[in-house]
Amino acid sequence: MSKKTMGIHHITAIVGNPQENVDFYSGVLGLRLVKKTVNFDDPGTYHLYFGNEGGKPGTIITFFPWAGARQGIIGDGQVGVTSYVVPKGSIGFWENRFEKFHIPYTKMGRFGEQYLAFDDPHGLHLEIVEREEGEVNSWNFGGVTSEVAIKGFGGATLLSTQPKKTAELLEKVLGFELIGEEGDLVRFRSSADIGNIIDLKVTPSGRGQMGVGTVHHIAWRASDDQDQLDWKKYVEENGYGVTPVQDRNYFNAIYFREHGEMLFEIATDPPGFAHDESQETMGEKLMLPEQYEPHRDKIEHVLLPIEVRGID
């Protein structure tokens, strides 16, 4: 048996103050807050999901905001950079927007593409690249119109403690296609039109340390529950220890630590984010897993208040 993932389902990171997180990803980047819930393992902490209008796989970045937590160090064993893709011809809009909000950025070239590299307020490394691929994001917010809006993930740059082992996993197990090498980066591509480009750094960056401003894990797409079970069996047959299926309410998840020490997840596309609230109202109300609903008053009292707002 051989399998091929379509690419990135979501990326989950650790950040600081939750309102700063919302202000940046909604107010500045123009993404939609599609789900406001809690960390299933720590219900006193938000789990916030941002993406395109429908919260489709390949567009979702999720956060555990821990105000006052220790700053992390980005390095080997982590996703080093999260890439966003925007429509062709829109890079000038984003340069002007970053200047308006005093966000430092750097222009850089890689594999024949131009990138804007920048950090979020908590130190997470991000970049924007133009591509034709990917459907237009119809969400309009805070001066970011669909003509220039982030479509979703362009991909990610992986920092591995054993890059040869990680490369082998990407190509031989996850089914990415090796498409190029440049400098100390190797580029892989999946079959999807978004969240499909993975750059693997093959030289050491120094060991990463989990904390604020670092990626916790990256999730790959499974088409449904059966496909996920097939993935579980396939990954185990290739020598990796995989967790049992975890119900995350908006998708089911399995996890494994690859040999380069990154935490990988395989997540199902369904059921998505509109099954417990309407498409129109997603992200407006704090949604709790069933086991925590009896404790809603206590949880809401502990969580810092947040709001989606335009940033001038």
Side-chain angles (χ1 to χ4, degrees):
M1 179 175 71
S2 63
K3 292 183 67 60
K4 293 185 178 183
T5 182
M6 290 176 284
I8 299 172
H9 183 282
H10 68 269
I11 291 174
T12 295
I14 301 168
V15 291
N17 181 276
Q19 186 61 57
E20 294 174 356
N21 179 244
V22 173
D23 284 345
F24 188 79
Y25 286 88
S26 284
V28 176
L29 296 188
L31 297 172
R32 183 180 185 184
L33 177 62
V34 298
K35 193 62 59 176
K36 179 167 57 172
T37 184
V38 294
N39 184 330
F40 283 20
D41 302 317
D42 177 18
T45 300
Y46 283 114
H47 195 176
L48 305 178
Y49 295 73
F50 298 85
N52 73 351
E53 182 172 25
K56 293 185 176 181
T59 77
I60 296 292
I61 191 164
T62 97
F63 296 101
F64 300 132
W66 288 328
R70 182 187 67 183
Q71 190 70 27
I73 298 172
I74 297 173
D76 295 339
Q78 299 176 354
V79 173
V81 185
T82 299
S83 300
Y84 278 119
V85 63
V86 296
K88 283 284 192 179
S90 64
I91 206 80
F93 167 86
W94 288 101
E95 289 185 71
N96 292 334
R97 191 163 180 84
F98 292 160
E99 289 166 3
K100 174 183 176 181
F101 291 111
H102 308 291
I103 298 168
Y105 66 90
T106 302
K107 288 184 178 181
M108 55 184 295
R110 189 162 81 248
F111 292 99
E113 298 179 307
Q114 291 297 310
Y115 289 79
L116 299 183
F118 60 103
D119 288 354
D120 81 355
H122 301 128
L124 200 68
H125 291 343
L126 306 170
E127 59 189 13
I128 281 179
V129 61
E130 292 183 347
R131 289 185 191 138
E132 293 282 1
E133 296 175 299
E135 66 180 53
V136 169
N137 179 5
S138 55
W139 186 249
N140 292 264
F141 185 77
V144 181
T145 65
S146 57
E147 288 79 15
V148 297
I150 290 170
K151 300 177 187 180
F153 292 124
T157 300
L158 306 185
L159 308 178
S160 172
T161 61
Q162 296 191 62
K164 289 184 179 179
K165 292 283 190 181
T166 301
E168 182 178 353
L169 170 67
L170 289 170
E171 188 174 11
K172 305 300 183 184
V173 181
L174 294 178
F176 283 86
E177 179 187 1
L178 173 62
I179 62 171
E181 298 182 31
E182 182 178 297
D184 62 354
L185 295 173
V186 180
R187 174 161 284 196
F188 299 86
R189 182 187 179 95
S190 72
S191 60
D193 61 359
I194 205 165
N196 57 352
I197 298 294
I198 299 298
D199 289 340
L200 174 65
K201 191 169 182 284
V202 298
T203 56
S205 299
R207 185 64 64 96
Q209 191 173 96
M210 197 63 65
V212 170
T214 65
V215 169
H216 185 269
H217 65 267
I218 184 169
W220 313 107
R221 293 174 64 182
S223 57
D224 55 29
D225 289 341
Q226 185 57 56
D227 186 38
Q228 184 182 65
L229 292 175
D230 292 343
W231 271 112
K232 177 173 166 58
K233 180 181 178 182
Y234 184 59
V235 173
E236 288 173 338
E237 288 172 347
N238 278 274
Y240 297 86
V242 184
T243 68
V245 174
Q246 311 288 315
D247 181 357
R248 298 309 191 194
N249 204 359
Y250 310 109
F251 47 86
N252 285 334
I254 55 175
Y255 302 87
F256 65 100
R257 186 78 62 176
E258 56 88 42
H259 295 314
E261 299 187 45
M262 284 173 280
L263 181 60
F264 281 4
E265 175 183 345
I266 299 177
T268 57
D269 281 2
F273 296 96
H275 76 90
D276 60 354
E277 55 183 336
S278 72
Q279 177 92 9
E280 293 73 28
T281 61
M282 287 193 309
E284 294 180 6
K285 180 183 176 184
L286 178 67
M287 305 303 295
L288 296 177
E290 183 178 345
Q291 67 268 30
Y292 293 135
E293 193 59 52
H295 310 291
R296 174 176 286 274
D297 289 346
K298 181 179 179 181
I299 290 170
E300 289 183 338
H301 180 73
V302 169
L303 293 171
L304 295 174
I306 58 173
E307 63 174 325
V308 176
R309 59 192 182 184
I311 306 298
D312 295 324

